[in-house]
Amino acid sequence: MATPSDFGRQGVPPTHPDLLDFLAEKLIRGGWKLKPIHQLIMNSSVYRQSGADNAIAAKTDPDNKLWWRRGAMRLEAEVIRDTLLSVSGSLDKKMFGMGSLDQASPRRSIYLTVKRSNLIPILQLFDAPDSIQSIGHRDVTTVPPQSLAMMNSALARQLAEKFANRVHSAPGKSIEQVVNESYELALSRPPTAREKQQMISFINAQAATYGGDKGVELAVTDYCQMMFCLNEFIFID
Amino acid sequence: MTLPFNFRSRRAFLKNAGLGCGSLAMTSLLNDEGILSKAGAAEAPTLSHTRPPHFAPKAKSVIWLFMPGSPSQMDTFDYKPELQKRDGTPLKGADPKTGFFTTSGKLLKSPFNFKQHGQSGAWVSEVFPHTAQHVDDMSFIYSCFSKSNNHTPAMLEMNSGMFLQGRPCMGSWVTYGLGSENRNLPGFVVLHGAMPRGGKPIWSPGFLPKVYQPTSINGVEPIGDLSRRNGMSEPQQRAQLDILKAMNQQHQELRPHELDLAARLESFELAYRMQTAAPEAMDVNQESETIHKAYGVDRAETQLVAKQCITARRLVERGVRFVQLYAGTNGGGGGVADVPWDGHNDIGANHRIAAKSVDQPIGALLADLKSRGMLDETLVVWGGEFGRTSDSQGSLGRDHNPHAFTMWMAGGGIKGGVQYGASDEFGYKAVENRIGVNDLHATILHLLGIDHTKLTYRFNGRDFRLTDVGGKLINEILA
């Protein structure tokens, strides 16, 4: 449904009306419970397919309206922030209690207070709605201020430091181990041989430019911050 | 050359290009640098970083000099000899609840002397000696009115056409409509001193994509996250971005259809360049001492607005589309920092201080734009969010008055020396050729080459306009 807030005459008709009816009936018969519906959708072969290319499909359905592949989806603002907290090992999973207006709070983004006159900068940056009017569909934008925040903000750096500390604190740990472990934590997969080699040589070269006792630590932090900036980190497919 | 737009729908355009001031530029860069085609994109969008206007524009950029708190019309540009004569007498038809507090119902004359200036003979109060030198380049609109008698809703209305939160402000509409001319700078910049009443929501992009929100600069601190952290050198950051680029490219090669990925890859490069371009644009120290003196950087009372005005000129010079400058300071007395023109207690004391902080910088800005040949293409807009009462609040102050106020525009397709519309003999209500905010917006968009009825954005099932269902061009002030 391309126009989720407009099912009327001006909206775009759904691509799969029978499927929508089927899901609606399931939802109603299942007592309006959302979790079973989510489970049903997420276990479907359509949902689980890859983003692999297909020349014929790309030609007949370039917009992927019929879901012939899994498109890359940018995480939502709240999830990006939660993922940064989680990967850096600083997420506070405590439930309930007062919210906060501090974007550096370690709690999940759902515990950030929505105050119309004081919106959370990092959420705004990644297209969170301003909560003044309801919306049917969030924009996904890619703008330099997002990149600047990931490159230069105190928040991104502090979380990178925590991430670096998490993967590099044990004495005698090799850079290779740091790379392996950080890939698992940030991307849920081991690095390829090529990636491993590229990352190790980056960390070593960067450490040399810093020099001194802190050189490796700073280089690992730069590396960890760079991991946060990867497309693979915030686009899932 | 291919047409700049070949998208099926605006939504597809937004989704695929992830555009905006920066991203429009970015997509163009992607094309220039062959990144999109290298990524093997099936349908590489071919668009320039600017979007075509509806017709030939007169103005390329706007500098909006916003006077928060609202200057009084009858103490600045709307001379009322009858008011001067009838000081202290009852104002017929006065509504003591016109403003935010309560007024006396007795006329209060202006404490200032007025003189006629220029060929056009426009009346200007003594508090604006520098601005007065440019009346022959200005169109005055004496018959403006707005809908709210409270600062925040009135500021929202002046910026977005609607006195409630949630609608996009004009700068956002304009960058949405036209894009930006500079690849390395934002298209919409807000310059402010103290945070004006109403805060950031008064310059919100509302329901437009967040890419159209302004970069706001408070006059003291640099743009957020624009400088590398202390301890990291430029080559070190370059190395970090190089490995990032290599990784993102490897990731991209396996996903040739994902234009968002290519756009994000380039956005880091653009951000890297912005780190140099934006501080350069904002650096008023690169200007000569003559310029500093002319604007008043060397004097405490004018320093803030002088720097803002120089910055505004530098930004416009570099292709920034829309600069909104929230001017005026309380100067250590006479007003409140977030509404410096709010002369409730003593209009004379308040306006002397507020005017002093803006007059010389604004006069210098107009002269500077003119001498550089930029005034023809730069629309300068001056005004507050409403006017003030003709009767007194207390003994010497004036309350808010949405029924009449004066705005002026200069440059960018505006006819010089025009005095348009009129308020009544005391300046209490706009009576002749009344001009609402929708009309101001329609006229400003027109000067930028935009038909206000055609600049629409579909949201929650309907097309929205900056001018809603209103808006009438003020043809009499167009050159």
Side-chain angles (χ1 to χ4, degrees):
Chain A
M1 186 70 204
T3 51
S5 56
D6 187 358
F7 290 2
R9 293 172 75 89
Q10 307 230 32
V12 178
T15 49
H16 302 77
D18 295 342
L19 176 63
L20 277 181
D21 282 344
F22 166 80
L23 289 170
E25 201 186 322
K26 275 262 176 209
L27 180 67
I28 296 164
R29 289 194 194 284
W32 298 92
K33 289 195 167 64
L34 289 172
K35 286 234 161 83
I37 290 290
H38 292 162
Q39 197 177 25
L40 185 66
I41 294 172
M42 293 168 89
N43 280 320
S44 71
S45 56
V46 172
Y47 192 89
R48 289 182 299 159
Q49 70 191 332
S50 80
D53 197 11
N54 174 333
I56 298 165
K59 208 171 164 199
T60 47
D61 179 22
D63 287 344
N64 193 27
K65 283 189 182 142
L66 302 174
W67 298 105
W68 55 270
R69 71 187 170 92
R70 169 74 181 230
M73 280 192 283
R74 223 255 337 259
L75 297 177
E76 293 160 308
E78 294 85 342
V79 184
I80 292 174
R81 184 180 163 280
D82 290 358
T83 309
L84 288 169
L85 288 170
S86 166
V87 169
S88 63
S90 36
L91 183 67
D92 175 357
K93 290 184 181 166
K94 184 170 100 80
M95 291 176 76
F96 309 115
M98 287 288 284
S100 168
L101 275 168
D102 178 10
Q103 64 172 6
S105 146
R107 301 190 65 194
R108 290 176 59 206
S109 301
I110 199 166
Y111 291 105
L112 290 173
T113 304
V114 177
K115 190 175 177 194
R116 292 188 307 179
S117 59
N118 194 358
L119 297 164
I120 306 292
I122 192 171
L123 298 188
Q124 286 296 296
L125 211 47
F126 287 100
D127 309 302
D130 62 11
S131 303
I132 290 164
Q133 299 178 68
S134 63
I135 58 163
H137 181 91
R138 282 194 187 193
D139 297 310
V140 176
T141 64
T142 300
V143 282
Q146 296 166 347
S147 305
L148 287 168
M150 297 306 281
M151 287 156 62
N152 295 334
S153 74
L155 181 64
R157 188 67 188 180
Q158 281 155 13
L159 293 171
E161 281 165 4
K162 288 189 173 139
F163 186 23
N165 199 35
R166 187 177 182 196
V167 292
H168 188 237
S169 58
K173 210 177 202 179
S174 72
I175 296 300
E176 185 179 354
Q177 282 172 296
V178 169
V179 172
N180 285 338
E181 211 173 300
S182 59
Y183 259 76
E184 286 294 348
L185 287 169
L187 307 176
S188 306
R189 68 170 177 89
T192 64
R194 183 182 174 202
E195 286 168 338
K196 199 186 294 185
Q197 176 265 321
Q198 284 171 303
M199 291 305 193
I200 291 170
S201 58
F202 165 71
I203 295 172
N204 288 334
Q206 197 80 341
T209 66
Y210 283 114
D213 299 342
K214 293 250 174 191
V216 177
E217 195 181 314
L218 286 166
V220 170
T221 308
D222 286 357
Y223 160 79
C224 287
Q225 189 176 2
M226 186 274 297
M227 292 294 283
F228 291 159
C229 300
L230 288 174
N231 276 345
E232 192 176 348
F233 187 81
I234 67 164
F235 282 91
I236 46 166
D237 56 10
Chain B
M1 197 194 129
T2 354
L3 278 172
F5 288 91
N6 60 0
F7 290 95
R8 278 169 297 278
S9 69
R10 182 160 275 162
R11 187 177 291 277
F13 172 58
L14 287 168
K15 200 164 183 293
N16 293 337
L19 81 170
C21 26
S23 315
L24 274 167
M26 190 189 308
T27 320
S28 143
L29 282 172
L30 293 176
N31 280 316
D32 292 356
E33 293 167 15
I35 288 167
L36 283 177
S37 46
K38 198 163 83 193
E43 283 184 15
T46 50
L47 51 97
S48 63
H49 50 278
T50 53
R51 297 174 64 174
H54 297 135
F55 43 81
K58 292 283 173 54
K60 268 163 68 177
S61 309
V62 176
I63 297 176
W64 187 313
L65 306 164
F66 202 115
M67 305 292 129
S70 286
S72 157
Q73 62 277 22
M74 63 288 275
D75 298 298
T76 52
F77 300 109
D78 193 8
Y79 178 52
K80 293 295 167 191
E82 272 306 299
L83 177 65
Q84 300 305 94
K85 279 186 217 152
R86 312 246 294 257
D87 184 39
T89 63
L91 168 61
K92 209 176 148 197
D95 175 2
K97 286 294 177 193
T98 293
F100 191 71
F101 298 97
T102 305
T103 50
S104 67
K106 285 183 193 152
L107 291 168
L108 174 69
K109 71 172 186 179
S110 174
F112 307 128
N113 293 317
F114 275 73
K115 258 182 26 196
Q116 283 181 290
H117 293 264
Q119 295 275 315
S120 55
W123 291 93
V124 182
S125 146
E126 62 181 304
V127 296
F128 285 134
H130 293 87
T131 311
Q133 292 165 28
H134 302 276
V135 292
D136 288 344
D137 289 316
M138 298 173 179
S139 273
F140 288 94
I141 309 163
Y142 299 119
S143 50
C144 299
F145 67 94
S146 58
K147 289 175 186 151
S148 173
N149 66 356
N150 192 8
H151 294 293
T152 301
M155 285 178 178
L156 284 166
E157 186 194 355
M158 187 49 78
N159 282 344
S160 73
M162 171 50 117
F163 51 80
L164 298 171
Q165 288 186 2
R167 296 289 176 87
C169 69
M170 185 170 207
S172 298
W173 276 109
V174 168
T175 34
Y176 159 70
L178 298 173
S180 176
E181 299 221 320
N182 188 312
R183 296 167 164 186
N184 303 331
L185 290 173
F188 174 22
V189 176
V190 164
L191 303 166
H192 62 93
M195 179 61 81
R197 189 74 55 87
K200 290 193 170 181
I202 64 173
W203 53 71
S204 154
F207 49 70
L208 287 178
K210 297 286 185 288
V211 291
Y212 303 114
Q213 72 191 357
T215 300
S216 61
I217 297 156
N218 76 3
V220 190
E221 288 164 29
I223 301 178
D225 305 328
L226 201 59
S227 37
R228 269 184 299 280
R229 73 181 171 83
N230 286 333
M232 183 183 245
S233 68
E234 186 166 351
Q236 280 164 339
Q237 188 174 49
R238 190 61 257 175
Q240 192 189 27
L241 289 176
D242 282 344
I243 185 79
L244 174 69
K245 192 173 178 178
M247 291 299 149
N248 279 343
Q249 270 168 355
Q250 287 166 29
H251 180 254
Q252 165 79 48
E253 277 160 18
L254 302 171
R255 294 158 180 85
H257 296 290
E258 302 294 346
L259 297 181
D260 281 355
L261 300 180
R264 186 156 184 270
L265 204 158
E266 185 51 34
S267 104
F268 277 96
E269 294 303 314
L270 185 52
Y272 179 73
R273 288 198 298 274
M274 275 178 73
Q275 292 180 135
T276 317
E280 189 277 335
M282 310 288 298
D283 186 7
V284 297
N285 292 326
Q286 294 191 17
E287 298 285 329
S288 69
E289 208 186 315
T290 322
I291 288 286
H292 279 211
K293 276 228 158 79
Y295 279 80
V297 177
D298 56 335
R299 298 216 323 277
E301 62 269 30
T302 43
Q303 191 177 62
L304 174 68
V305 184
K307 282 185 175 174
Q308 289 176 323
C309 283
I310 296 175
T311 306
R313 192 214 79 215
R314 288 178 67 87
L315 291 171
V316 164
E317 226 168 6
R318 283 158 182 75
V320 172
R321 185 72 68 185
F322 202 97
V323 180
Q324 206 176 32
L325 193 161
Y326 290 80
T329 58
N330 62 351
V336 184
D338 64 349
V339 278
W341 290 89
D342 203 19
H344 285 286
N345 300 328
D346 183 342
I347 201 75
N350 172 281
H351 273 34
R352 252 180 233 289
I353 291 165
K356 196 160 227 175
S357 71
V358 306
D359 176 49
Q360 188 185 337
I362 290 174
L365 173 67
L366 292 169
D368 196 12
L369 288 172
K370 205 168 185 180
S371 75
R372 287 165 198 260
M374 291 169 64
L375 190 60
D376 293 340
E377 295 188 326
T378 308
L379 175 64
V380 182
V381 181
W382 182 97
E385 64 271 29
F386 40 52
R388 309 205 75 88
T389 54
S390 313
D391 56 336
S392 62
Q393 179 187 345
S395 53
L396 297 170
R398 295 194 197 278
D399 205 344
H400 309 165
N401 178 9
H403 301 306
F405 58 99
T406 299
M407 297 203 48
W408 59 254
M409 297 190 214
I414 286 288
K415 200 189 276 182
V418 175
Q419 290 144 44
Y420 182 78
S423 58
D424 61 33
E425 57 186 338
F426 306 113
Y428 192 52
K429 286 182 178 171
V431 288
E432 192 186 307
N433 293 324
R434 286 163 54 81
I435 293 298
V437 174
N438 291 151
D439 307 324
L440 293 169
H441 287 165
T443 307
I444 295 169
L445 288 179
H446 174 84
L447 292 166
L448 288 163
I450 299 173
D451 178 343
H452 71 100
T453 64
K454 291 188 185 148
L455 182 67
T456 62
Y457 186 80
R458 174 144 295 206
F459 172 71
N460 277 358
R462 81 153 166 110
D463 288 333
F464 280 82
R465 282 171 25 193
L466 171 61
T467 52
D468 195 17
V469 295
K472 170 178 109 260
L473 274 186
I474 317 171
N475 284 307
E476 292 80 355
I477 69 169
L478 304 178

